[in-house]
Amino acid sequence: MVHGEVWTLKELFLFPNEYIYWSVQIVMYPFLTGLVAGAFVLSSLYHVFGVKELKNIARFSLVFSFALLFAAPMPLVLHLLQPHRGAYVFFTPHFTSAIAAFGIVFFTYGAIVASEIWFVYRKHFVDTALRLREIQDKTIWQWISYLIFCSLTLGSYDVSEEAMKTDKKAIKVLAGVGIPVAAFLHGYAGFIFGSVKANALWMTPLMPVIFIMSAIVSGIALCMLTYIVFLEFKKYRLTRARAAQTPNTYTMEEIKGAELNVIKMTSKYLLLFLVFAISLELLDLVFRGYTAVKSWDILKSVIYERDFVNIFIVQYGLGNALPLILFLIPGLTIRRAVVGLLLVLMGVFMMRWNVVIGGQAFSLTLSGYMHYALPIIPTDYETFKEGIGGALLVMGLPFGLFWLFIKMFPVHGRTEEGG
Amino acid sequence: MITRRDFLRYVVIGTAGAAAPLGLANPAGVLAGKDLTGPRWVFLLDTFKCVGCGLCVKACKTENEIPYEANVSRTWVERYVIMKDGTVLADTPKAARDGFTRNVIDLGQGKTQAIVTEDIAKAFFVPKLCNQCENPPCVQVCPVGATYQTKDGVVLVDRKWCIGCGYCIMACPYGVRFFHPVSHTAEKCNFCYHRISAGLKPACELACPFGARRIGDINDPDDEVTRIIKDGRVSVLRAEYGTNPRNYYIGLSEEVR
């Protein structure tokens, strides 16, 4: 069977070679890079612009961005028909292709985030390494931790006040440089689609900007949501610790107060970018309808008829308008915020879906349609990776990595380290 | 003893000299400029002569080892039926491999539409194959350079280097590209490059009993195909994409996609 044939339903007149070649993994790719960029921008709001209220979530989202960064290339590799040749993109990049820039942008960005994390956590690495060094009769686990933290210090043990000042400066510069690079990382994902002149839905110079705005929205939303889950877990542990009469550094009121404050403050930024994102998307839609070039007839039938529920009900209605109202009603509670955040994330995911799958919903003939039947129960490797299983696998990966990373980079401590 | 002024002068001259071949002269451009004498392959397609028999598709699949039953093809034939009320109907079932033998239009998903002969205003067939564009978007977007343009104008795919990302398939406005069901790499018509390089005709041209498709060398003024293109009235598909396609059609109607 031809690649794509199993999940493509064709209707009316299409060229014989047309199929949905870019499936759910290509929906996941911009969704994940968007989360990377958004999480980083959120952390930079504190590091660069000194938004004090975001201090707690800043470190959290920086580490989360790093975890997401590792997961971002996964969907790309999974969708390749020759995945073992994926590294050719780095070895023989063909620079007239937008995808060829991936290696450079991705590694530049990775280097920036890694360096920033190093500066933020340097004091923590040094303290931990020194503390472990002093322990006599180390267990094997302590030996391993000691070696890991010694390597993480990169041999720099200077934690004097002056050195810390320099670190702070470096963090500020890296966070500042990181913002345009993060925007570029995601903007260029938008460019990959926006520059395909053969595709009437994708081709618009607004695409990279729309992608960046919705990226920031989704990144902030996911950070807020994970932050809430993280603190709820802490609260749960605190209740259990109290029951067991063990001493704890936090009081319940402290956590509750901090949680609501951070969420209230962060949601203001979320709303700001959400309004930008919606405005740009609507501008694109209005412009297409107003200019009504040749392709508009079929685009109109896709947008207003075939994909109406996906676009207007799920994406704009449930994913944009409803959370906007939920966050604007005064007296925000954590519960309401969680509902709003889940809806925002779904809205951004649906926006990616409606661009990637919607862009392939009509034929190059402009007289035929294709429908993507998402494989749910896999029958082979291909229907697994390009179906719901592959999508969930890719979505779960950053959370696993994040769990691993916070063992090395504590995201919610009281100690006043570099960042 | 070299003075500072001389040193600076040498540095400037040296840098400019070294940069010139990199920046000013594109090596591919230099090579192409030298080779004006070689062929530049084009195709001439006569829609008045095509009867939709599908022999070209059969021949192409066999010659180029595209699995016979696979629903993809390097070349295909489209049927257009324009009704008296202005409705445009078109189809290309199985890429027209088995020809058009029934008076029903394929609507996909197993549905068909019967045609009443008396209601037809006009009907015709249009053969399609890769346009070997002068400015190929598929080559532009390939992230690893696995697809490239030869100096005689044909766009080829390196099956050993293609990573299977599908960007070229998305970028082609003519829908000629697909994934080969066996090699799992991007695949397309290459004018039977192995044959034309050996002085033979492409398989589809040989199989066509009516002379509806003919290859030619646009650089050869004595080639009959070149003469028809230069003297006659021909048109190309989707010129608005700026791809500069090199398949010329005789009798192209505005309904053709």
Side-chain angles (χ1 to χ4, degrees), chain A residues 335-367:
Chain A
R335 200 167 298 175
R336 178 139 53 86
V338 169
V339 176
L341 293 170
L342 284 171
L343 288 172
V344 164
L345 281 172
M346 183 208 61
V348 175
F349 179 81
M350 282 315 289
M351 181 258 171
R352 310 291 192 237
W353 179 281
N354 292 330
V355 168
V356 176
I357 305 297
Q360 298 170 87
F362 57 94
S363 164
L364 288 166
T365 62
L366 304 181
S367 326

Side-chain angles (χ1 to χ4, degrees), chain A residues 1-3 5 8-19 21-22 79-83 85-86 88-89 92-94 96-100 191-193 195-199 202 294 360 364-367, chain B residues 70-73 76 78 80 90-92 95 107-109 128 137 139-145 159-167 169-179 183-185 238 241 243 257:
Chain A
M1 209 168 209
V2 179
H3 179 75
E5 197 174 358
T8 308
L9 303 173
K10 293 181 169 190
E11 239 179 281
L12 304 174
F13 175 45
L14 297 99
F15 294 139
N17 300 328
E18 286 188 277
Y19 292 99
Y21 288 106
W22 282 1
H79 112 280
L80 292 185
L81 259 63
Q82 303 287 343
R85 294 180 188 164
Y88 290 4
V89 177
T92 59
H94 182 236
T96 56
S97 168
I99 296 183
F191 188 87
I192 288 177
F193 294 99
S195 63
V196 177
K197 61 183 169 188
N199 192 304
W202 291 346
K294 194 177 168 187
Q360 298 170 87
L364 288 166
T365 62
L366 304 181
S367 326
Chain B
N71 289 318
V72 281
S73 184
W76 68 94
E78 290 161 9
Y80 289 87
D91 67 350
T92 171
L107 299 178
Q109 301 301 305
K128 294 267 184 90
V139 171
Q140 182 187 31
V141 301
C142 177
V144 294
R159 283 186 189 168
K160 291 201 179 80
W161 209 256
C162 173
I163 62 172
C165 68
Y167 204 9
I169 302 177
M170 292 295 156
C172 175
Y174 306 98
V176 303
R177 284 179 171 251
F178 54 94
F179 280 125
S183 73
H184 301 294
T185 49
R238 305 191 168 205
Y241 286 100
T243 51
R257 302 299 187 180

Side-chain angles (χ1 to χ4, degrees), chain B residues 6 22 37 72 112 133 138 187 189 221 227-228:
Chain B
D6 279 341
L22 294 174
T37 49
V72 281
T112 53
C133 305
C138 53
E187 182 73 21
C189 158
R227 270 200 303 109
I228 295 171

Side-chain angles (χ1 to χ4, degrees), chain B residues 133-250:
Chain B
C133 305
E134 200 62 52
N135 179 24
C138 53
V139 171
Q140 182 187 31
V141 301
C142 177
V144 294
T147 185
Y148 56 98
Q149 199 174 24
T150 63
K151 63 181 192 311
D152 39 7
V154 178
V155 173
L156 302 179
V157 181
D158 184 347
R159 283 186 189 168
K160 291 201 179 80
W161 209 256
C162 173
I163 62 172
C165 68
Y167 204 9
C168 57
I169 302 177
M170 292 295 156
C172 175
Y174 306 98
V176 303
R177 284 179 171 251
F178 54 94
F179 280 125
H180 193 287
V182 180
S183 73
H184 301 294
T185 49
E187 182 73 21
K188 68 183 277 296
C189 158
N190 55 15
F191 283 1
C192 282
Y193 199 63
H194 57 293
R195 294 180 59 87
I196 57 176
S197 306
L200 301 168
K201 295 277 181 204
C204 59
E205 175 174 348
L206 281 184
C208 181
F210 306 97
R213 34 206 309 162
R214 277 191 285 170
I215 196 164
D217 170 14
I218 200 85
N219 286 347
D220 177 5
D222 299 326
D223 191 327
E224 202 197 335
V225 166
T226 307
R227 270 200 303 109
I228 295 171
I229 293 169
K230 299 253 155 120
D231 305 345
R233 293 173 200 185
V234 291
S235 49
V236 294
L237 291 167
R238 305 191 168 205
E240 68 273 19
Y241 286 100
T243 51
N244 211 346
R246 286 309 172 95
N247 287 354
Y248 296 89
Y249 284 85
I250 297 174

Side-chain angles (χ1 to χ4, degrees), chain A residues 42-231:
Chain A
L42 181 59
S43 84
S44 290
L45 284 177
Y46 166 70
H47 290 303
V48 182
F49 304 110
V51 184
K52 290 269 183 318
E53 294 84 346
L54 297 180
K55 184 176 175 177
N56 282 333
I57 206 169
R59 194 181 293 180
F60 183 91
S61 46
L62 182 66
V63 177
F64 204 20
S65 176
F66 197 51
L68 284 161
L69 186 69
F70 279 89
M74 267 282 286
L76 283 185
V77 175
L78 278 177
H79 112 280
L80 292 185
L81 259 63
Q82 303 287 343
H84 58 289
R85 294 180 188 164
Y88 290 4
V89 177
F90 309 133
F91 299 150
T92 59
H94 182 236
F95 283 117
T96 56
S97 168
I99 296 183
F102 180 78
I104 294 166
V105 180
F106 181 77
F107 286 120
T108 309
Y109 181 69
I112 290 174
V113 180
S115 325
E116 192 182 333
I117 287 185
W118 187 73
F119 280 114
V120 170
Y121 285 99
R122 206 171 67 79
K123 188 164 185 299
H124 170 71
F125 298 153
V126 173
D127 290 349
T128 316
L130 291 179
R131 184 170 54 76
L132 286 168
R133 182 185 288 174
E134 267 154 39
I135 297 176
Q136 308 287 320
D137 307 321
K138 293 185 193 57
T139 60
I140 292 182
W141 176 238
Q142 279 170 330
W143 265 112
I144 296 172
S145 311
Y146 174 59
L147 287 176
I148 290 176
F149 278 98
C150 270
S151 328
L152 283 173
T153 62
L154 300 179
S156 162
Y157 286 89
D158 181 5
V159 284
S160 63
E161 207 164 290
E162 206 173 319
M164 287 292 100
K165 250 188 201 158
T166 321
D167 280 11
K168 263 209 169 124
K169 214 183 228 168
I171 291 165
K172 198 168 181 174
V173 171
L174 284 168
V177 175
I179 295 177
V181 180
F184 194 81
L185 176 74
H186 196 67
Y188 115 95
F191 188 87
I192 288 177
F193 294 99
S195 63
V196 177
K197 61 183 169 188
N199 192 304
L201 186 77
W202 291 346
M203 195 187 148
T204 161
L206 278 183
M207 195 64 92
V209 196
I210 292 177
F211 263 53
I212 290 169
M213 287 306 155
S214 53
I216 298 174
V217 169
S218 65
I220 294 179
L222 189 65
C223 281
M224 287 170 74
L225 195 65
T226 321
Y227 188 73
I228 292 174
V229 173
F230 185 77
L231 287 192

